[in-house]
């Protein structure tokens, strides 16, 4: 009996050494995509390899503590960690971001990525993992079952929980261990963070980032002092606004924001020529009216984060990399353009030609003060282009809503037609041809995307024609949420010479700006003067538009406008100052201004909302509209289509 126990203990100890090493190798091989890069990382970073092994060991021990049997625990640990690695691998390929702890809570949205990765290569990799897991389960029936005693099982499980929790919250002892093992968090570039530290370690270091830290010195006295600073910015903004309002004839025009899915100008690709201008309306407006480039916090996905910045005036730069405010943070009323326009006598409506539950929009729009939300179900017998409702159909809906309203309207529109991936030949033939140094697959992808951009451009022209004819005072702001994901590893962008490498950590600041710059154009029939805007962050767009129209700015948005004049562009890892100079982080002269911006955002999103006691109470303490979506509440769904798949919309 003693010999049998000793033998079992020997095999368990051996497994505790070997299993984590196998798990790290498997996870990193999946994450990095090839054997050479995996071996290079392991051989050049032996301490980090061991550190990842320690973390995988505790995951294995936690499962071992729950099940009490060795091989099934190995199989479950392999299934869990390799699944996470697969998700991270494909997420990086698609939108340049790895798998974060908070991605676990995306619920329905996370499932919609599956059709995008269900290709032959992906299925072979996933199949290999599944076969390995099944083989371990089958093997467990034919070899002696190595079990833990009940008390030992409980002890192992509790010890694993304690260790994983300590590493996740960065307890002092675990921080010491990670420092000694060479861990160095690169929070501003998560692709590099995962590539340098390994997936298990980078994922674990991100756990603490799920909690947004309170700014130093945050309390009511500090916010009262900040309120006085904000009043100064507001007074300056009121002066400018009244002048513009006079020049506009005192009108309250319809204000229509159109965030067109993945809209970008494909003619910016330096080595590609097109058989005709794919976006003639946008190019004309760039010459005739106010236009420029928005600095988007996203690439290829994460549309709701762009909405969040535009609608609230808050910045993703102050939130954990990869976080989704719509999913994680907005659970109480929050100030937004929707509530602002309602306070100005407008009817505020959101229009989105996809499922209302996606990204939790139906709940978030309610908290933002929208009066109505028209989602896919409220479109009657809509026209489809490919898998999604067409942009032309969305333009028809905007026209119908404005023409039937007896109040001026604020409409925030999010389209879907040109949603990726673009390798589906959705239009059959693409009349606009691309010529350049592209592979056949890249050429086909680009042409499909370009046809969608052309249709988006035509839908904008349709709106312009209508409001020109009716003469209803109207301002349209048209832009994309992010650059499109044109193939894995930025395939089209590298082939066309837009960037020099697919490795984002090696991009210059100029390339980083290029990959996050989306054109925006405006049109109005109220006589607004033309202005060129080289760069402006999405979070500053709302205050910029209100100021241009001549509407009074609440204090927080007035501060946004003032800050944008000093620092028009800000991402987590890129800052553009007033002269257009690029920085990898906030330069010293602007840090105080940016800190005030961060304090404003923390106070409303996470804090006690002290500012609302001192300034702009009506704006900062907006209430949910009591009649939210009543006009659509009793309407039956327009059709019974099955839910269409989308990666990030």
């Amino acid at each position: 009996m003693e010999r049998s126990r000793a033998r079992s203990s020997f095999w368990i100890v051996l497994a505790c050494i070997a299993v984590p090493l196998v798990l790290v190798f498997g996870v990193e091989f999946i994450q990095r995509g090839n054997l050479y890069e995996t071996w290079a990382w392991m051989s050049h970073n032996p301490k980090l390899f061991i550190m990842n092994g320690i973390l995988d060991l505790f995951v294995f021990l936690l499962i071992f503590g729950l099940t009490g049997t060795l091989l099934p625990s190995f199989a479950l640990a392999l299934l869990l960690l390799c699944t996470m690695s697969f998700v991270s691998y494909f997420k990086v390929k698609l939108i340049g971001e790895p798998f974060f702890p908070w991605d676990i809570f995306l619920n329905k949205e996370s499932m919609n990525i599956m059709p995008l990765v269900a290709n032959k290569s992906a299925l072979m990799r996933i199949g290999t993992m599944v076969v390995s897991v099944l083989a371990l389960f089958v093997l467990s029936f034919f070899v002696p079952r190595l079990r833990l005693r009940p008390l030992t099982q409980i002890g192992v499980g509790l010890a694993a929980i304690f260790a994983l929790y300590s590493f996740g919250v960065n307890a002092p002892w675990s921080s010491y261990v990670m420092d000694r093992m060479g861990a160095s968090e690169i929070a501003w570039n998560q692709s590099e963070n995962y590539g340098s530290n390994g997936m298990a370690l980078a994922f674990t270091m991100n756990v603490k980032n799920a909690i947004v830290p309170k700014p130093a010195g945050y309390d009511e006295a500090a916010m009262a002092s900040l309120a006085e600073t904000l009043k100064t910015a507001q007074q300056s903004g009121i002066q400018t606004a009244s002048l513009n309002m006079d020049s506009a004839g005192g009108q309250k025009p319809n204000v229509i924001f159109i965030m067109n899915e993945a809209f970008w100008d494909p003619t910016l690709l330096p080595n590609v020529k097109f058989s005709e201008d794919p976006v003639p309306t946008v190019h004309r407006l760039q010459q005739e009216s106010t236009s420029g480039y928005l600095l988007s916090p996203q690439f290829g996905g994460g549309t709701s984060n762009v909405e969040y910045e535009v609608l609230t005036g808050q910045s993703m730069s102050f939130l954990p990399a990869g976080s989704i405010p719509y999913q994680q943070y907005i659970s109480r009323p929050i100030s937004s353009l929707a509530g602002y326009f309602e306070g100005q006598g407008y009817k505020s409506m959101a229009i989105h030609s996809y499922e209302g539950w996606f990204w939790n929009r139906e709940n978030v729009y309610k908290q933002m003060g929208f009066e109505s939300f028209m989602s896919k179900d409220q479109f009657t017998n809509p026209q489809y282009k490919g898998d999604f409702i067409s942009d032309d159909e969305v333009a028809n809906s905007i026209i119908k809503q404005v023409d039937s309203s007896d109040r001026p309207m604020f409409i925030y529109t999010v389209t879907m037609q040109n949603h990726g991936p673009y390798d589906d030949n959705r239009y059959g033939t693409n009349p606009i041809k691309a010529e350049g140094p592209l592979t056949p697959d890249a050429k086909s992808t680009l042409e499909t995307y370009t046809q969608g951009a052309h249709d988006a451009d035509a839908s904008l022209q349709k709106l312009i024609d209508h409001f020109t004819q009716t003469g209803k005072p109207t301002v349209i702001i048209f832009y994309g949420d992010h650059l499109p994901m044109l193939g894995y590893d930025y395939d089209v962008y590298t082939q066309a010479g837009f960037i020099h490498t697919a490795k984002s950590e090696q991009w210059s600041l100029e390339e980083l700006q290029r990959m996050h710059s989306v054109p925006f154009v405006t049109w109005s029939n109220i006589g607004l003067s033309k202005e060129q805007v080289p760069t402006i962050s999405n979070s500053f767009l709302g205050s910029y538009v209100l100021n241009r129209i001549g509407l009074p700015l609440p204090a927080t948005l007035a501060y946004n406008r003032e800050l944008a004049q000093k620092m028009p562009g800000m991402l987590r890892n890129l800052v553009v100052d007033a002269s257009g100079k690029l920085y990898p982080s906030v330069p010293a002269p602007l840090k105080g201004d940016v800190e005030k911006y961060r304090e404003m955002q923390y106070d409303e999103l996470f804090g006690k909302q002290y500012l609302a006691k001192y300034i702009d109470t009506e704006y900062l303490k907006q209430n949910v509209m009591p009649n939210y979506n009543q006009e659509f509440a009793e309407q039956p769904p327009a059709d019974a289509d099955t839910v269409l798949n989308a990666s990030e919309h």
Side-chain angles (χ1 to χ4, degrees):
M1 178 66 71
E2 289 300 324
R3 179 179 293 181
S4 176
R5 287 179 179 173
R7 189 181 298 113
S8 294
S9 298
F10 169 79
W11 284 111
I12 290 173
V13 170
L14 185 61
C16 288
I17 297 172
V19 166
L21 301 181
V22 173
L23 292 174
V24 175
F25 175 80
V27 164
E28 294 303 321
F29 176 67
I30 293 169
Q31 173 78 4
R32 297 169 194 278
N34 64 71
L35 186 60
Y36 174 79
E37 289 193 17
T38 304
W39 177 252
W41 176 77
M42 290 166 53
S43 59
H44 288 102
N45 303 280
K47 288 185 177 180
L48 291 175
F49 174 64
I50 293 171
M51 186 67 241
N52 278 265
I54 292 171
L55 293 170
D56 287 352
L57 169 64
F58 287 123
V59 172
F60 166 66
L61 290 178
L62 174 59
I63 297 173
F64 198 9
L66 292 172
T67 66
T69 54
L70 185 65
L71 283 179
S73 298
F74 181 18
L76 291 172
L78 182 68
L79 179 63
L80 172 64
L81 294 173
C82 287
T83 297
M84 291 171 60
S85 189
F86 272 120
V87 172
S88 188
Y89 173 79
F90 287 114
K91 196 170 171 226
V92 168
K93 287 285 187 181
L94 289 166
I95 60 174
E97 291 184 344
F99 181 65
F100 297 112
W102 38 89
D103 287 339
I104 295 168
F105 304 106
L106 294 186
N107 302 323
K108 300 172 185 176
E109 291 85 344
S110 61
M111 297 303 296
N112 282 278
I113 200 171
M114 293 308 296
L116 297 175
V117 300
N119 55 48
K120 184 177 180 181
S121 174
L123 292 174
M124 287 181 63
R125 291 167 180 261
I126 295 170
T128 302
M129 177 192 71
V130 172
V131 168
S132 300
V133 169
L134 291 176
L136 286 170
F137 275 114
V138 171
L139 186 61
S140 68
F141 290 102
F142 297 95
V143 298
R145 295 194 175 187
L146 300 173
R147 293 181 175 273
L148 293 174
R149 293 179 178 179
L151 287 178
T152 304
Q153 188 176 338
I154 294 172
V156 166
L158 292 175
I161 291 172
F162 171 75
L164 290 172
Y165 174 80
S166 298
F167 281 111
V169 300
N170 203 27
W173 74 268
S174 60
S175 179
Y176 174 78
V177 171
M178 288 192 289
D179 288 343
R180 293 297 299 268
M181 299 303 284
S184 179
E185 186 175 12
I186 311 170
W188 59 91
N189 189 329
Q190 289 291 343
S191 293
E192 186 177 349
N193 193 29
Y194 278 61
S196 297
N197 290 300
M199 180 175 166
L201 179 54
F203 183 90
T204 302
M205 287 191 292
N206 268 317
V207 169
K208 68 181 184 304
N209 294 334
I211 302 172
V212 179
K214 181 168 64 175
Y218 173 79
D219 57 21
E220 184 169 358
M223 291 299 99
S225 176
L226 178 57
E228 292 301 315
T229 302
L230 298 181
K231 286 179 183 178
T232 303
Q234 186 180 32
Q235 291 302 316
S236 174
I238 288 172
Q239 222 171 16
T240 305
S242 62
L243 289 172
N244 287 346
M245 200 63 181
D246 289 341
S247 67
Q251 302 177 84
K252 283 188 176 180
N254 299 300
V255 180
I256 303 170
F257 280 66
I258 303 171
M259 191 168 73
N260 192 276
E261 168 58 33
F263 184 83
W264 180 68
D265 183 355
T267 67
L268 293 173
L269 294 171
N271 299 328
V272 177
K273 301 295 182 185
F274 294 91
S275 58
E276 64 179 88
D277 187 350
V279 287
T281 302
V282 166
H283 286 159
R284 187 186 75 251
L285 291 175
Q286 286 175 333
Q287 299 300 315
E288 297 177 352
S289 62
T290 293
S291 64
Y293 286 87
L294 291 169
L295 197 60
S296 173
Q298 301 297 134
F299 171 83
T303 295
S304 69
N305 287 352
V306 182
E307 288 180 48
Y308 163 75
E309 285 205 340
V310 174
L311 286 167
T312 66
Q314 298 181 4
S315 176
M316 288 298 301
S317 300
F318 303 131
L319 301 175
S323 58
I324 311 291
Y326 275 26
Q327 290 282 353
Q328 296 170 252
Y329 308 132
I330 300 177
S331 58
R332 64 184 182 184
I334 182 172
S335 62
S336 78
L337 292 179
Y340 170 84
F341 277 102
E342 283 284 341
Q344 295 292 319
Y346 282 68
K347 176 182 178 181
S348 61
M349 171 179 277
I351 297 177
H352 179 38
S353 50
Y354 193 58
E355 305 295 340
W357 51 259
F358 214 89
W359 288 136
N360 197 31
R361 279 187 178 96
E362 57 194 4
N363 294 318
V364 169
Y365 286 163
K366 182 178 181 179
Q367 302 293 354
M368 285 183 168
F370 278 100
E371 188 172 327
S372 300
F373 174 29
M374 180 180 179
S375 62
K376 175 192 168 189
D377 286 345
Q378 280 78 52
F379 283 77
T380 304
N381 299 318
Q383 174 198 46
Y384 279 73
K385 284 285 189 77
D387 285 337
F388 304 110
I389 292 174
S390 71
D391 284 2
D392 184 72
E393 193 73 45
V394 175
N396 291 337
S397 296
I398 293 172
I399 290 169
K400 180 180 178 181
Q401 293 298 328
V402 171
D403 286 354
S404 62
S405 176
D406 57 1
R407 287 184 284 162
M409 291 199 72
F410 166 67
I411 299 181
Y412 195 87
T413 309
V414 184
T415 70
M416 273 297 284
Q417 178 185 326
N418 211 18
H419 194 290
Y422 309 101
D423 57 358
D424 56 358
N425 195 31
R426 67 184 68 172
Y427 304 117
T429 59
N430 298 311
I432 302 176
K433 302 300 181 184
E435 294 297 333
L438 303 172
T439 63
D441 286 345
K443 183 175 183 293
S444 176
T445 293
L446 178 58
E447 289 178 350
T448 297
Y449 170 77
T450 300
Q451 183 59 46
H454 181 71
D455 288 351
D457 185 89
S459 72
L460 173 59
Q461 185 61 51
K462 184 173 193 173
L463 290 170
I464 292 171
D465 291 343
H466 176 80
F467 292 114
T468 298
Q469 181 181 5
T470 65
K472 278 195 172 185
T474 301
V475 177
I476 298 174
I477 303 94
F478 180 91
Y479 57 98
D481 46 355
H482 50 68
L483 272 71
M485 193 278 294
L486 299 175
Y488 283 165
D489 290 331
Y490 312 103
D491 192 25
V492 170
Y493 298 104
T494 54
Q495 290 186 37
F498 195 68
I499 50 176
H500 83 282
T501 177
K503 296 183 180 298
S504 59
E505 66 272 15
Q506 296 179 15
W507 292 346
S508 65
L509 292 179
E510 289 75 16
E511 286 177 312
L512 183 61
Q513 182 184 28
R514 206 176 298 151
M515 293 297 283
H516 286 270
S517 292
V518 180
F520 82 92
V521 294
T522 65
W523 176 87
S524 75
N525 56 5
I526 63 171
L528 293 182
S529 60
K530 175 184 174 181
E531 187 170 288
Q532 290 300 120
V533 186
T535 299
I536 185 170
S537 281
N538 287 98
S539 54
F540 299 145
L541 180 63
S543 59
Y544 175 79
V545 170
L546 294 182
N547 191 65
R548 290 282 290 161
I549 295 173
L551 292 170
L553 294 176
T556 51
L557 292 184
Y559 186 79
N560 273 21
R561 186 73 198 115
E562 183 180 279
L563 182 58
Q565 292 171 336
K566 301 177 184 178
M567 184 194 68
M570 183 177 70
L571 302 179
R572 185 172 286 102
N573 53 352
L574 176 68
V575 171
V576 186
D577 71 10
S579 68
K581 187 175 180 180
L582 307 181
Y583 303 84
S585 59
V586 178
L590 293 172
K591 283 187 176 179
D593 298 298
V594 171
E595 183 59 24
K596 292 185 181 73
Y597 187 23
R598 185 168 80 96
E599 290 171 356
M600 284 164 41
Q601 179 167 322
Y602 182 88
D603 182 60
E604 179 169 20
L605 200 57
F606 306 106
K608 302 290 188 179
Q609 298 185 328
Y610 293 128
L611 281 177
K613 295 174 64 175
Y614 300 95
I615 52 172
D616 295 325
T617 302
E618 185 177 349
Y619 172 70
L620 292 175
K621 294 291 285 186
Q622 292 177 10
N623 295 315
V624 169
M625 295 294 294
N627 61 335
Y628 174 68
N629 239 21
Q630 280 187 5
E631 65 182 286
F632 296 127
E634 297 180 1
Q635 288 189 14
D639 54 53
D641 289 347
T642 56
V643 173
L644 298 169
N645 292 312
S647 65
E648 45 79 8
H649 234 294

